[in-house]
Amino acid sequence: MREIEKTKEEWQQELTGQQCFVLFEKGTERPFSHPFNDNKEEGTYACAACGTPLFSSETKYDSGSGWPSFFQPIASENVEEITDKSHGMIRTEVVCRKCGGHLGHVFNDGPRPTGLRYCMNGVALKFDKAE
């Protein structure tokens, strides 16, 4: 059970079609298509569906992958990592623990200090600029 449980129809009333596709159908946006990939402003990246804080701009870096990338979440309890065996690969999917929205995947080819690359879909995030 998730803290936030909504039907597909309820999410469709609150989110764009692309957000619903990525967050709740485990879709992926095209690389280099979202402005968050190049965003250099300071602030917090939260789940676009439920607003849970997920990543800080302090952990964002340019991975060259075309998606916003971070080397660690704000709090490990805000994300859940799930083995993903789709598309003939074995990867680690990252979802929002509060609503279950698909955010992207995490890989072990990131920078120090964690060595992780949380490769997120920009459309699955919202940005709260620091004041």
Side-chain angles (χ1 to χ4, degrees):
M1 291 284 297
R2 299 281 177 196
E3 190 174 326
I4 297 176
E5 296 266 345
K6 294 184 182 182
T7 65
K8 182 177 179 178
E9 291 75 24
E10 288 172 316
W11 285 122
Q12 288 173 333
Q13 291 177 1
E14 297 177 25
L15 303 169
T16 68
Q18 181 71 3
Q19 287 174 316
C20 285
F21 170 69
V22 169
L23 285 159
F24 298 107
E25 295 178 33
K26 300 183 186 294
T28 302
E29 66 192 6
R30 288 187 338 267
F32 302 100
S33 66
H34 200 280
F36 289 165
N37 185 53
D38 296 320
N39 186 21
K40 307 261 191 280
E41 294 184 289
E42 292 183 11
T44 301
Y45 293 84
C47 176
C50 71
T52 298
L54 300 170
F55 299 97
S56 167
S57 60
E58 294 176 8
T59 65
K60 186 175 185 292
Y61 71 100
D62 183 3
S63 68
S65 67
W67 289 278
S69 298
F70 307 85
F71 60 80
Q72 73 184 24
I74 286 176
S76 59
E77 60 269 14
N78 291 1
V79 297
E80 182 178 353
E81 297 180 8
I82 302 167
T83 300
D84 175 3
K85 296 181 181 179
S86 65
H87 306 291
M89 299 178 268
I90 298 176
R91 302 177 289 173
T92 303
E93 178 187 12
V94 180
V95 301
C96 174
R97 189 176 301 274
K98 193 170 187 179
C99 71
H102 169 78
L103 304 169
H105 291 85
V106 61
F107 303 94
N108 61 2
D109 60 0
R112 293 181 184 203
T114 65
L116 299 174
R117 173 173 52 102
Y118 285 84
C119 188
M120 303 293 99
N121 287 285
V123 73
L125 305 172
K126 69 177 184 175
F127 181 69
D128 298 316
K129 188 175 176 178
E131 294 183 21

